[in-house]
Amino acid sequence: MAEAATGSGISRRTLLIGGGVGIGLLLAWKLWPEKIASPLRAAPGETAFNAYLKIGTDGRVIVAVPQAELGQGVYTALPQILADELGADWRTVAVEPAPVSPLYANHLYAEETAGDEGAGVLQAFSLWAARSSAERSDVVITAGSTSVRAFEAPLREAGAAARVLLMKAAADRWNVGWEEVNVAGGFAQHGGARLSLGEIAEAAADFGLPGSLPMRSGAQDRLTGKPLPRIDVPAKLDGSARFTADVRLPGMVFASVRAGPIGDSRLDRIDRAAAEKVPGVIAIFENPRWAGAAASNWWAANRAVEALKPVFETRGGLVSTADSEAVLAEALEAGDATRIAARGDVETAFVGGSGFSAHYTAGPAASLAPETLTATVRIENGKVEVWAPAQSPTLARRAAARAADVAEADVTLYPMLIGGGYGRKLETDAIAQAVTMALELKRPVQLSWSRLEEMTQDRYRPPAFARLAARMDSGRIAAWESRIAAPVDAAAVAGALPPYDVPVAIVDHVSADPGIPTGPWRSNARSYTAFFTESFIDEIARETKAEPFSFRMQMLGGNPRLARVLTTATTLGGWDGGAMGGGMGIACHSAYGSHAALLVEVAVRGGRVKVERAVCAVDCGRVINPDLVRQQIEGGLCYGIMAALARPIGFEAGLPTVRSLGGLAVPRLASMPEITVEIVESEEDPGGVTELAVPLAAPALANALFAATGQRLRTLPLQLGNG
């Protein structure tokens, strides 16, 4: 981050930090603790207007983005929000990652992961506590499809506040009332006169905000809703975009590592002599948990790690698929359950009427981020510098400080572009390892995990076993029960409550430890709870001789937005009623404040599944950039289809049976279906889309495969021949 220019920028009294409008904007800043300085630094020729915006004398509008660019487009969507409210020319907008500061804490993510504890005052207190904790612990995080939802309001307020100051500076030049000035297209305008934002930026810093902050209205000269080109794409196309692997520092070495099997594994021995014979090797590392090597290039370092042939001793039993599945199966049948959700008269839920039940399972799923875990570290004079792809800069900096045994204030983190997150870049193992190596070598280290290491040491999507039951009354579902055995906590059953008008609904969670390391995954538990729910809905429709679309629609009176996207997807896709032999399947889901429905069509030839078409309708509220929405829905569908049709991952002797991308046998790009994305217009607040489409893929595919083959697949990933 560049150093601040002397005498440039808004005074402390008028600097906008975020939250509220008008007087609230000033109040939020004046009441902020004195020890927290403005996090945004202005270089010479730049004026910092608030925590999100700088404007250069050359006319550049620089937006500090508090979320990581994972490929989802936040380096475009978030600046587009601020630039729209500011009245900027999109061609002049640039971005930089926001510094780590509690001012950029993702309060929405903290609130949504706090759980629904109680109701009324208790629930309000729970959410307040989560928000307060996010501020105190500096939780800057990109996750949960929250970026636009969490930061639209503060970014709009930041743009509006700066626009007012610019209007006042221009009005002072022209000797007119500031309310008479308009800002659009990068210029302050009054009559035939105009001034570029760069010409008046420095002068604008001397003005104060009014008691009421006016926001832009109308559709003229607006950027919101426009398919503006992505800011990050040109640099990615010409190779100038810098990822962690592109960092080069004087005296830097390259490193690779190898850790042991799952469990309490300790390094027992290595073949140091064999590794030292590899040309280019500089150092060999022996850590209680891993072995590593540094060399003049990464290829040599990885060759040396392979030559080390590290042997680990694992205390306790070695995890296996059979043992893990036995734990989950026992928990499902006999474990103590925690009731996560309930509505209606649960005591009489299954009294009378006919009923259906079915068991479903979901195996562990690999993260499959294209970029493996990596970090570049330099340590000089007790100060640590880290270049890393970090979904949570807070956690990354904390891990580096802990590994170096220094204060967090002594760690500078440079958030890099991320080559695919999917929750994987919340992990900090590579950062800690690189810090350890840099301390020992006293020179910069760039550590990159091999694909083998990435697959072996992944934090998998948790496996889950489920039993679903339903009681019918007059052709409708009168009562619903989901009992799910999975690791972790209530988050393991997120999305399990059906989005339909079912009078009585119960969701129970049984906590179980299958011995497999688990972690965040794109859409997390929704990727299997939606599979359970939408597959079972389809089963019930078939058993009652009902057409699957109509069966769903009769229960969506209380969710008109979901009903609309389901109708849109089936209409555009030419829904055939789910005819046997036709190969069409549907699914719908509500999540992240958005609603989506999917129709897929499959063909089965020689036992192989080919997904021919996918038609997805999305209602994600007010759209900032429609191209970004389409890209994320398309990407989410590809990711979901890939995971649903991949080879199952088993475990033997503490290691996964699949340790390469090729071993997963995932569908390739050439075999991806023709995808149609229809965005349903809405004036509701923006919803999340990055993870929205992932949960739809598996149930829609399973339902389509039933129509094509007559076989009901109840296990993820989907394998014909395994029901």
Side-chain angles (χ1 to χ4, degrees), residues 262 363-367 424 427 453-463 516-521 649-651 655-659:
I262 295 168
S367 301
R424 186 68 177 133
E427 306 295 341
E453 187 71 1
E454 180 74 16
M455 295 287 289
T456 304
Q457 302 300 324
D458 200 357
R459 302 290 190 270
Y460 301 89
R461 182 195 65 191
I516 297 169
T518 60
W521 199 83
I649 298 175
F651 292 87
L655 293 172
T657 55
V658 179
R659 304 173 201 173

Side-chain angles (χ1 to χ4, degrees), residues 534 552 566 585-589 596-599 695-696 699-700 703:
E534 284 299 291
R552 287 173 169 84
L566 181 59
I586 56 175
C588 56
H589 190 61
L598 176 67
L599 177 149
L696 294 170
N703 296 336

Side-chain angles (χ1 to χ4, degrees), residues 615-671:
V615 179
C616 189
V618 180
D619 177 352
C620 57
R622 188 172 59 256
V623 174
I624 304 301
N625 187 314
D627 279 359
L628 293 179
V629 172
R630 292 188 181 91
Q631 290 164 13
Q632 288 312 300
I633 296 300
E634 290 171 358
L637 288 176
C638 289
Y639 190 85
I641 290 170
M642 175 185 65
L645 298 179
R647 184 172 294 154
I649 298 175
F651 292 87
E652 294 177 1
L655 293 172
T657 55
V658 179
R659 304 173 201 173
S660 67
L661 293 179
L664 280 175
V666 297
R668 297 176 180 268
L669 184 61
S671 63

Side-chain angles (χ1 to χ4, degrees), residues 350-388:
F350 288 89
V351 177
S354 60
F356 299 98
S357 65
H359 284 73
Y360 291 85
T361 62
S367 301
L368 298 183
E371 178 189 38
T372 62
L373 289 191
T374 180
T376 301
V377 173
R378 177 168 60 191
I379 303 175
E380 293 180 349
N381 302 319
K383 304 294 185 181
V384 181
E385 294 178 283
V386 179
W387 292 258

Side-chain angles (χ1 to χ4, degrees), residues 395-717:
L395 298 180
R397 190 172 68 168
R398 193 167 298 162
R402 188 164 49 244
D405 194 22
V406 300
E408 287 186 39
D410 292 326
V411 177
T412 300
L413 177 74
Y414 304 101
M416 305 300 291
L417 291 171
I418 300 178
Y422 315 142
R424 186 68 177 133
K425 298 309 189 301
L426 289 168
E427 306 295 341
T428 59
D429 294 355
I431 293 173
Q433 291 168 340
V435 168
T436 299
M437 293 177 171
L439 281 171
E440 184 173 331
L441 290 180
K442 294 180 172 54
R443 60 194 297 185
V445 172
Q446 184 174 101
L447 169 64
S448 298
W449 282 19
S450 65
R451 180 57 60 180
L452 173 64
E453 187 71 1
E454 180 74 16
M455 295 287 289
T456 304
Q457 302 300 324
D458 200 357
R459 302 290 190 270
Y460 301 89
R461 182 195 65 191
F465 279 31
R467 183 179 71 238
L468 275 66
R471 177 174 64 84
M472 305 299 295
D473 186 6
S474 302
R476 294 171 61 97
I477 299 176
W480 176 286
E481 181 182 29
S482 296
R483 179 181 170 93
I484 301 173
V488 201
D489 51 25
V493 296
L497 193 66
Y500 301 101
D501 288 333
V502 177
V504 182
I506 302 167
V507 176
D508 288 341
H509 171 239
V510 185
S511 183
D513 182 8
I516 297 169
T518 60
W521 199 83
R522 191 171 182 180
S523 77
N524 293 312
R526 294 180 183 275
S527 62
Y528 54 76
T529 58
F531 168 66
F532 300 158
T533 297
E534 284 299 291
S535 294
F536 191 46
I537 285 286
D538 212 72
E539 281 202 61
I540 296 172
R542 300 284 187 177
E543 290 292 333
T544 58
K545 310 301 181 184
E547 186 268 308
F549 166 74
S550 300
F551 185 72
R552 287 173 169 84
M553 287 296 293
Q554 70 174 341
M555 298 184 292
L556 285 175
N559 196 338
R561 295 176 70 187
L562 189 60
R564 186 178 178 189
V565 294
L566 181 59
T567 301
T568 302
T570 51
T571 301
L572 290 177
W575 171 244
D576 64 359
M580 296 304 294
M584 284 191 185
I586 56 175
C588 56
H589 190 61
S590 297
Y592 317 112
S594 297
H595 310 268
L598 176 67
L599 177 149
V600 297
E601 185 172 10
V602 303
V604 180
R605 302 183 184 91
R608 292 181 177 273
V609 178
K610 175 69 168 66
V611 186
E612 304 279 2
R613 294 189 303 131
V615 179
C616 189
V618 180
D619 177 352
C620 57
R622 188 172 59 256
V623 174
I624 304 301
N625 187 314
D627 279 359
L628 293 179
V629 172
R630 292 188 181 91
Q631 290 164 13
Q632 288 312 300
I633 296 300
E634 290 171 358
L637 288 176
C638 289
Y639 190 85
I641 290 170
M642 175 185 65
L645 298 179
R647 184 172 294 154
I649 298 175
F651 292 87
E652 294 177 1
L655 293 172
T657 55
V658 179
R659 304 173 201 173
S660 67
L661 293 179
L664 280 175
V666 297
R668 297 176 180 268
L669 184 61
S671 63
M672 283 293 105
E674 173 190 341
I675 297 177
T676 301
V677 177
E678 180 71 12
I679 301 173
V680 175
E681 290 187 9
S682 173
E683 289 303 317
E684 298 292 333
D685 289 339
V689 295
T690 302
E691 300 167 276
L692 179 64
V694 177
L696 294 170
L701 283 172
N703 296 336
L705 287 170
F706 177 80
T709 68
Q711 183 180 356
R712 177 60 66 180
L713 302 180
R714 300 186 181 92
T715 296
L716 280 180

